[in-house]
Amino acid sequence: MNSEYSYKNINWFPGHMAKARRLMEEQLKLVDIVIELRDARIPEASGNPLLKELSKNKPVLIILNKADLSDPNKNEIWKDYFDNCLLVDSLNENITKTIVDEVKRILKDKLDKAKARGIRKKVLRAMVVGIPNVGKSTFINNIVKRKVAKAENRPGVTKALQWIKINEDVELLDTPGVLWPKFENQEDARLLALIGSINDEVLNKEELVIFGLNYLKENYKGLISKRYEVDENSDDLIDDIAKKKMWLTNNNKIDYKKTIDLLLKDIRSNKIGRITWQDVRE
Ligand SMILES: Nc1nc2c(ncn2[C@@H]2O[C@H](COP(=O)(O)OP(=O)(O)OP(=O)(O)O)[C@@H](O)[C@H]2O)c(=O)[nH]1
Ligand SMILES: [Mg+2]
């Protein structure tokens, strides 16, 4: 494994994202608050600069989603780093009350002012935004306790905007995951690819796996050895894992494609452990 390896530049901004961004801009005037989902495993890199620009005149609630996959020792540090931030597991927790209460808390001043002027604010509208595959549709389905939005484990599932009513007071807008036209910071782009927010078809998966394994060896010593029963400091780590797991072709050679695919799958789940891939910058 060579750390001098030069990585191929990553970029992914398909047409539906540019369109989604325009439509979101239009809907923005209707919303009281933006709920921005980020991935708890990469809280900084999963923040979209386009969305920051888009929501600059609105209150923002940051949700660090998939907190069940991220390092429990780092979760709270990241939560404290942001204003108005919650750690959430949209797959397993019952989050409706927490989210509705938090939205109402953040908007309390606005609601009180409206009330003082005799205006009873009808419905609170929240736009749910975030990078692809971060869990926006799952988050909404959890809140409304119904499967109203399609959710799948690949980026680019939601293609259109959809308003969803929670109750008489609150409505949510599901939006397509959006990235930005050019990743100036390729390190962030690699992290986005690593967690599965960029279409695999534009990625070099082997590079990603090598990057992931190196990071784990440095920052989570012993996890790889434990998971795959190999010496994680071996010079032939990927081969060793493949042999141990019997990821082989019919004629007993290492099946590299399968090995890379399965390693990437493990890295993206919590199979190896709960991992956070970036730290708060000092
Ligand atoms: N472990 C875990 N998985 C989650 C969580 N939230 C969502 N997922 C999974 O993440 C994958 C993507 O979820 P979606 O809800 O489709 O994500 P999205 O942000 O709507 O994706 P796009 O519409 O493609 O932008 C699915 O496999 C979900 O089951 C979470 O909190 N924890
Ligand atoms: Mg979606």
Side-chain angles (χ1 to χ4, degrees), residues 44-45 78 81 185 188 278-282:
E44 189 83 66
W78 273 113
Y81 175 79
N185 183 337
D188 284 359
Q278 60 179 178
D279 288 321
V280 172
R281 287 190 198 114
E282 296 300 323

Side-chain angles (χ1 to χ4, degrees), residues 53-265:
E53 178 61 27
L54 197 75
S55 55
K56 67 172 186 273
N57 297 318
K58 300 278 173 184
V60 178
L61 168 59
I62 292 183
I63 302 293
L64 295 179
N65 196 42
K66 306 198 185 185
D68 56 310
L69 303 182
S70 56
D71 185 340
N73 296 317
K74 296 193 176 164
N75 276 349
E76 294 297 327
I77 299 171
W78 273 113
K79 177 182 184 289
D80 292 344
Y81 175 79
F82 298 106
D83 300 332
N84 298 336
C85 177
L86 295 173
L87 290 158
V88 167
D89 167 4
S90 293
L91 267 191
N92 307 298
E93 285 170 354
N94 185 351
I95 61 174
T96 314
K97 188 173 175 335
T98 315
I99 303 301
V100 172
D101 286 355
E102 184 67 4
V103 164
K104 287 186 172 165
R105 186 191 67 76
I106 294 170
L107 294 175
K108 186 171 184 305
D109 278 357
K110 191 177 168 181
L111 292 173
D112 286 351
K113 274 186 198 141
K115 211 166 158 188
R117 282 185 288 138
I119 306 164
R120 204 187 89 75
K121 178 89 178 81
K122 5 65 186 155
V123 207
L124 294 182
R125 293 200 179 85
M127 180 170 356
V128 178
V129 303
I131 57 164
N133 208 38
V134 69
K136 298 173 293 299
S137 299
T138 307
F139 171 82
I140 291 176
N141 288 339
N142 181 319
I143 292 177
V144 296
K145 298 192 179 75
R146 274 176 295 138
K147 202 175 171 305
V148 285
K150 188 164 125 186
E152 270 177 51
N153 197 7
R154 62 182 172 85
V157 173
T158 305
K159 290 282 198 311
L161 278 68
Q162 182 189 6
W163 276 106
I164 292 148
K165 195 169 169 165
I166 307 186
N167 55 34
E168 294 308 311
D169 303 331
V170 188
E171 289 178 15
L172 299 174
L173 182 64
D174 190 18
T175 65
V178 287
L179 293 166
W180 47 107
K182 189 169 187 303
F183 295 120
E184 300 295 345
N185 183 337
Q186 282 292 317
E187 279 171 33
D188 284 359
R190 200 191 300 147
L191 293 176
L192 290 166
L194 197 72
I195 61 154
S197 283
I198 295 177
N199 188 343
D200 277 345
E201 281 164 28
V202 307
L203 300 174
N204 180 330
K205 294 197 233 174
E206 187 181 358
E207 282 178 358
L208 274 184
V209 167
I210 292 171
F211 168 78
L213 293 177
N214 279 333
Y215 181 91
L216 293 175
K217 277 173 16 183
E218 253 170 59
N219 296 279
Y220 290 91
K221 272 197 184 51
L223 278 191
I224 298 175
S225 296
K226 184 158 176 258
R227 161 78 184 160
Y228 300 107
E229 299 172 313
V230 293
D231 170 10
E232 66 185 21
N233 295 312
S234 158
D235 288 336
D236 304 311
L237 181 56
I238 292 183
D239 291 28
D240 293 353
I241 294 174
K243 285 182 204 149
K244 194 83 195 187
K245 301 291 290 181
M246 302 286 279
W247 289 334
L248 307 175
T249 60
N250 290 337
N251 48 2
N252 263 348
K253 294 241 164 52
I254 290 171
D255 187 337
Y256 275 102
K257 189 184 172 306
K258 180 175 178 178
T259 299
I260 294 299
D261 282 352
L262 291 177
L263 278 172
L264 190 56
K265 204 168 161 216

